[in-house]
Amino acid sequence: GFDEREQQRNRRQRQEKMALMLSVRRTGMVLAARAACARSSTSGVSGFDERERAAETLWFNKREEKVLRELLQKIKMQADTHDSVNAPAVVAAETKALKAICPGASDAEVQKLLDWKHTAF
């Protein structure tokens, strides 16, 4: 009956979350492998000293971080909009917690803060 459908829905959501986490890990590994290949291809060029290699590594690390943050933001937005079972409860809990912290905040201000939270981090 109802409990069985709820268990199936929860099981499917867990599987989707695991698949999403695995795809994020794979994407990170692919980006790291590409960066390593790019770094190793320049290691044989004369004139690259340690400082230049460190600067190059720093640039690749920052670029990878930016790409992964953008990917994480997309994943969070998709999870927030596609999780029809848990999303309303999460929004209600976040709104309640935020109103407890800022009791004088209007609904529009609370919504702006929640939007910022979900897009900035």
Side-chain angles (χ1 to χ4, degrees):
F2 178 75
D3 290 332
E4 184 178 320
R5 280 186 276 148
E6 187 67 26
Q7 288 175 352
Q8 289 176 348
R9 187 178 303 133
N10 289 338
R11 190 176 311 117
R12 186 171 12 110
Q13 287 175 347
R14 284 193 305 271
Q15 290 172 346
E16 289 172 357
K17 287 178 185 177
M18 288 298 295
L20 189 60
M21 290 172 59
L22 286 174
S23 67
V24 169
R25 288 182 75 191
R26 285 187 197 125
T27 303
M29 291 173 15
V30 167
L31 290 173
R34 285 183 185 164
C37 289
R39 284 191 294 264
S40 66
S41 67
T42 60
S43 63
V45 178
S46 63
F48 264 88
D49 64 354
E50 290 300 316
R51 192 174 310 152
E52 289 171 329
R53 281 195 191 127
E56 181 186 20
T57 301
L58 181 64
W59 183 85
F60 275 109
N61 287 344
K62 285 183 179 182
R63 180 67 184 143
E64 289 171 2
E65 180 184 359
K66 179 183 177 192
V67 169
L68 288 174
R69 283 186 185 273
E70 290 171 358
L71 181 62
L72 178 63
Q73 183 176 0
K74 286 180 183 180
I75 291 169
K76 285 173 63 176
M77 291 300 288
Q78 288 176 358
D80 289 344
T81 57
H82 289 26
D83 186 6
S84 61
V85 174
N86 294 323
V90 170
V91 169
E94 288 177 339
T95 304
K96 182 179 177 182
L98 194 53
K99 286 191 176 194
I101 295 170
C102 305
S106 69
D107 289 340
E109 291 170 331
V110 168
Q111 187 59 46
K112 283 182 183 179
L113 285 170
L114 289 174
D115 291 343
W116 171 79
K117 175 190 173 201
H118 290 281
T119 57
F121 295 102

